[in-house]
Structure formats: C-alpha cells, structure tokens
Amino acid sequence: MAVDDGLRTRFIEQVIVAQEDERRRIARELHDGIGQALTSMLVRLRSLDTQLPSDGSAQHVVRELRETCGTTLDEIGRLARGLRPAVLDELGVQAAVQRQAADFESSHGITTDVGLVGFEPEERLPANTEITIYRIVQEALTNIAKHAEASSASVIVERRPGDIRVIVEDDGRGISPSAPSASTGGLGLQGIRERVALVKGSLTLESVPGSGTTLYVQIPLNTEVTEYFICRGAQSFRVPFGVSTIGRSPECEYVLDDARVSRRHARLDLDENGITIEDLGSANGVIVNGLRIDAPTRLAGGDAISLGGDLLSIDERVDEEPSSEKRRSTLPGQVTLRPPPNDSSEGSTSRIDAIEVAGRLAERLLARGRVEAAERLLRGRLAAVLDAANRGQLVQPGIAQNAARYALILSQQARSQRWADFSLELYNALGTLLPDRIVEWLEQASELPQRRLLDRQIALARARGSSAAVARLEALKERAPKERASE
C-alpha cells in the first residue's frame, strides 16, 4: 500500500527535527561536560609540569599526557562542531559555512574555496533554512572526502531575492552513469534530497567520469509565513514564538476558569521547527484528537485539544505580508513556499545562474592572484557550454554571453590563448554573430583570438550585411595573432 506523501513528509520532518535536537543536546554535553573536564585536567597537568624537576622522567610523562589531553580536547571540539556548530546558532550560516570549509580543508587536505554572494553583512536567514544549507554543504563535503578522490572543491552560496542557490563542486573522479549512486544516490545524497524536499527546493547532480561532480540546490524563499492560533469558541489568540502556558493561574498566557483545569495545565512551544503541546503534570491530562498525551506532541491546524472541560483547537493562517513584529514571532521553517522551477528539460547549458555565480567567485580568486583556482572553478562549466554548442544543442543567449565574458577575463589574467579563442569558438559553433558587448570586451583586451576564428565571424557579418560589424571585426583581426596552436 502506498504511503501518503503528506504523512511521509511530516514523518521525515519530525525525524530531522528530532535529529537536530539530539545533535544540539549531545554537542552541548560534549562541550560542557567532557570538554570542561578535559580543560580542567589540562590546567592541572600544566601546573604539575612546573613543579616537577626539569630533567626527570616524570615531567616527560606529564608532557605527553598534556599533549594527549590537548589533542583529545581538539577532537571533542571538532565532533561538537560537526554535530551542531555554535557558530551557526550565534552568527548564522555565512560564518558556519566558512568555518566548515576551513575545517574540511584542514582535516582532508582538499583545497576548498568558498563564495558567499548577495548576503548583507551579518544577515540571518530563517533557522530552518540555515540548518538546511549547513547540512547540505556538510553532507556534500563528506561525500567528496569519502568518494571523489578530489584535490580541490568549491562551495558557493548565493542569496537571491526569491531563493538561495547552493553549489558544491569537486575535481574528483566523477560518477559513472552506470553506477547505482548515479540514479538512486547513497545515504548521503538521499539525506540531502529529503532535506531539500522539506523546504520545497530542487536538487540536481551533474557529473562526468574523470571530471568531477557538481551539486546544485535551489531553496526558495517567500514572504508568506504561517501563523498559529489557539481557538476557544469564537475567540482566537495568536501563539507567540517561544513558550507559553495554559491554566487557571493568572500568570499563564492563556487563562481558563474551569475548576478541572490545573493552575499550570499545559505548555505550548512554538519554535523554528513547529508547535508542540506538553502536559505539565495536570490531574485530568491533555487530550489531543481524543488521545491523552504523555510526551510533547506536535500540533497542526485543525487539531482538537481538551483540557478539563474546555475544548480548544489549533488554527493555521498564511500571512502573505507579515509585519516585522510578526516575523519575529512566527514560524520561519513552516512558510508556504512556491514550487521549485521545472528546469529538468533544460540541461546543464541553461544554468546561467551557476555560471554567473561561479564567475563572481572566480573574479574574487583572480583578484587575490589565484589564477589556477579560478581556472579550475570555471573550466568544467565553460567546456560544457562549448560542447553543447558543438553538438547543436540550444544555448540561451545569456548563458553564451556569460561564458564568453568569463573566458575573456581568464584569458587576460592567465595570458592564455585557449581562453582568448573560447568566445569565438563558442559563437562560431552557434553560427551566431558576436554581440556588440563581447566585441567591446575584445576591443579592450590584450589577449585576442586567432585570425582564423575571426574570419568566420567576418563572413557571418558580411552575410548579414552588417558593414559596421565587419569593420570592427577587421580591426580586431589586424591586432590578432596569426595561426598558432591553442594552449
């Protein structure tokens, strides 16, 4: 019997929420318990070291113990950060991803570049979105370390007006189309898929055997939020973010005057993961949808709650234009999101955003003199566009122009004839005249494509009767190098 998709989604969500809660708890215990004990031991060992004779064997043993204790303390910290990094909760996903990439590079010796594009300084995203981004990057990097045999990786996270784009790429061995993981994915990829599905996102995996793998994730953002209300008859009250209580006590946020209701009967907890209700040890219990609960229980719109003789219900309402005050007290992880764009038929050559985002990161690498890293980041993407053009596939004009632009930037920085030739090779393969913007870039460039490539463009310009284009291209040809082998 097929499992209802909505029920399955809710079950997966509850499992992930429980996992994150448990990760947070264990990380806190590692830091506050074992970590503090090891720190105390290290301090005492240092004190003992100063009291022992400098040439004795006892001091040598103590120093070995100090070194072991320090190493163990570092490992405990690494494990705690992997479970639930404090920097994610305190500073947000930007700092967390940068720290994650630095730890990954240090642990595995794989050069890892990070690009964060479009974020405001210290900008925070909804908590559910931040943890989703962090776990996607974490799992993708773990897969690279385990399977890719890569020497370098790059992580790009771009904040756009309507969505978040995450790209994780490596230069490893790639995935063979015949491999089982190519279609189904291992446990790591399956975990990423489930997280992406919960936030109504999309995931695409692109790989060429021997040329690395690229993971694309799109996570939509929306201004719509879901507010929760507790209702009693005709009355309804919005549930605030955080903890609130129900009971007879005037100190409760929701006061009921029924004698069968305890002073502090139940607790509501609204956080980034949802709304739950918990019995605070009442005499008559908390009944949800006809069943008495004995543990914190997640609620949803339409749920009926019985406290003593009072009947309450939960209502969910979508607010499309919430105020900033409402945003602080509503549920960021339960927003109503638009469905992901259906771009499965467009293929890798439609990824104008991926080329643009990678290009921005490449420009920053070039500004720091990291030419090889910039080439490594762009090489595969540019080659895919040129290959599609050579095979007669449709390449969108914006993609072609972006690809040509970044190839020209590489040609100037790397002094590479290959990248100088790229823009002409691409437009000649498309059978399209160079756009004026690219001609302007070529006119300003010091590295120019070979004359034979310009001859094809001159012929296209003449066939279209564009004398102005012919004149400009002829002028470029005069400056261009004669026939020579591409690098």
Side-chain angles (χ1 to χ4, degrees):
M1 183 175 64
V3 179
D4 178 76
D5 287 342
L7 182 61
R8 180 179 180 275
T9 298
R10 188 170 179 183
F11 173 74
I12 293 173
E13 181 180 9
Q14 290 175 343
V15 169
I16 290 177
V17 168
Q19 286 176 338
E20 291 300 331
D21 288 344
E22 187 68 3
R23 285 170 180 263
R24 187 186 290 108
R25 183 188 67 79
I26 295 173
R28 186 165 52 246
E29 289 183 0
L30 283 173
H31 179 271
D32 297 343
I34 299 175
Q36 293 298 331
L38 286 171
T39 300
S40 177
M41 183 184 296
L42 191 59
V43 171
R44 296 181 69 179
L45 285 171
R46 285 173 180 165
S47 176
L48 181 60
D49 188 9
T50 62
Q51 299 173 29
L52 292 173
S54 60
D55 57 350
S57 60
Q59 188 182 57
H60 179 70
V61 171
V62 168
R63 289 183 175 176
E64 286 185 341
L65 288 172
R66 281 180 58 187
E67 183 176 347
T68 301
C69 189
T71 302
T72 305
L73 188 61
D74 290 341
E75 181 65 13
I76 290 293
R78 187 186 66 80
L79 288 172
R81 289 195 301 272
L83 285 167
R84 181 74 183 197
V87 67
L88 179 63
D89 294 322
E90 295 169 3
L91 299 179
V93 71
Q94 298 181 69
V97 167
Q98 289 176 321
R99 177 65 177 269
Q100 186 180 52
D103 286 348
F104 175 79
E105 182 172 321
S106 175
S107 299
H108 301 285
I110 299 174
T111 303
T112 307
D113 296 309
V114 177
L116 300 169
V117 182
F119 286 89
E120 295 294 332
E122 301 181 4
E123 179 182 2
R124 298 300 301 266
L125 299 174
N128 194 46
T129 302
E130 289 197 332
I131 192 61
T132 297
I133 294 169
Y134 181 84
R135 294 299 181 205
I136 287 169
V137 173
Q138 183 182 49
E139 193 59 58
L141 291 177
T142 298
N143 283 347
I144 290 172
K146 286 182 177 179
H147 309 298
E149 299 178 7
S151 61
S152 64
S154 60
V155 177
I156 302 171
V157 182
E158 183 185 22
R159 169 73 157 93
R160 297 163 58 88
D163 60 21
I164 299 290
R165 304 291 176 92
V166 181
I167 304 172
V168 184
E169 184 176 48
D170 67 75
D171 64 352
R173 62 180 183 176
I175 301 174
S176 171
S178 60
S181 59
S183 58
T184 60
L187 290 176
L189 185 57
Q190 185 61 32
I192 293 175
R193 281 187 175 132
E194 289 174 348
R195 286 186 178 273
V196 170
L198 286 176
V199 291
K200 306 294 189 298
S202 63
L203 179 150
T204 303
L205 191 68
E206 294 181 357
S207 184
V208 177
S211 299
T213 301
T214 304
L215 180 80
Y216 300 90
V217 174
Q218 178 258 353
I219 302 173
L221 297 175
N222 205 312
T223 57
E224 294 181 351
V225 297
T226 300
E227 296 185 309
Y228 291 84
F229 291 79
I230 187 164
C231 304
R232 183 190 188 199
Q235 297 177 306
S236 64
F237 306 91
R238 185 168 59 86
V239 179
F241 195 82
V243 175
S244 53
T245 54
I246 307 173
R248 283 191 296 113
S249 170
E251 297 177 356
C252 294
E253 283 75 13
Y254 305 100
V255 180
L256 303 177
D257 55 7
D258 192 312
R260 289 168 291 182
V261 174
S262 302
R263 288 184 57 80
R264 296 181 73 253
H265 198 108
R267 175 168 57 206
L268 292 172
D269 188 358
L270 177 60
D271 61 17
E272 66 270 15
N273 298 312
I275 183 171
T276 59
I277 189 168
E278 180 181 2
D279 189 349
L280 295 178
S282 64
N284 296 309
V286 175
I287 312 299
V288 177
N289 298 329
L291 299 175
R292 182 164 181 166
I293 65 171
D294 55 8
T297 300
R298 188 167 298 281
L299 299 173
D303 284 348
I305 305 167
S306 177
L307 305 179
D310 270 292
L311 294 177
L312 310 174
S313 64
I314 294 294
D315 186 23
E316 294 182 20
R317 304 174 192 174
V318 174
D319 188 348
E320 297 184 358
E321 297 183 359
S323 66
S324 59
E325 176 61 31
K326 288 182 179 179
R327 285 177 187 272
R328 287 194 291 272
S329 59
T330 51
L331 184 61
Q334 293 288 325
V335 296
T336 302
L337 299 172
R338 60 179 174 82
N342 182 16
D343 63 353
S344 58
S345 64
E346 295 176 357
S348 62
T349 59
S350 70
R351 300 192 176 281
I352 184 170
D353 297 316
I355 293 176
E356 185 176 351
V357 173
R360 292 178 196 168
L361 176 56
E363 286 186 288
R364 293 190 353 215
L365 292 171
L366 290 171
R368 300 202 299 267
R370 300 186 59 186
V371 178
E372 290 184 3
E375 282 192 285
R376 184 179 66 243
L377 183 64
L378 287 172
R379 185 183 300 121
R381 292 183 173 89
L382 299 182
V385 175
L386 182 57
D387 181 62
N390 284 327
R391 286 187 283 113
Q393 292 185 357
L394 176 66
V395 177
Q396 296 177 9
I399 294 171
Q401 184 162 313
N402 264 346
R405 175 193 173 204
Y406 288 116
L408 287 172
I409 290 172
L410 282 177
S411 74
Q412 306 311 304
Q413 295 290 326
R415 298 292 180 184
S416 168
Q417 184 65 50
R418 176 181 59 173
W419 294 123
D421 289 346
F422 178 92
S423 58
L424 272 295
E425 290 175 345
L426 175 59
Y427 279 91
N428 287 346
L430 293 171
T432 304
L433 195 61
L434 285 173
D436 288 343
R437 184 62 176 149
I438 295 179
V439 176
E440 289 175 9
W441 291 333
L442 286 169
E443 289 171 338
Q444 299 169 14
S446 56
E447 293 288 328
L448 290 174
Q450 298 176 65
R451 292 185 177 186
R452 62 178 177 83
L453 298 172
L454 283 162
D455 283 338
R456 169 64 175 152
Q457 282 292 308
I458 291 171
L460 284 171
R462 283 177 175 154
R464 297 190 181 185
S466 178
S467 57
V470 170
R472 295 178 74 182
L473 291 167
E474 289 280 9
L476 285 174
K477 183 179 176 180
E478 289 298 316
R479 295 173 46 213
K482 295 181 180 180
E483 191 76 20
R484 72 186 190 193
S486 295
E487 296 173 10

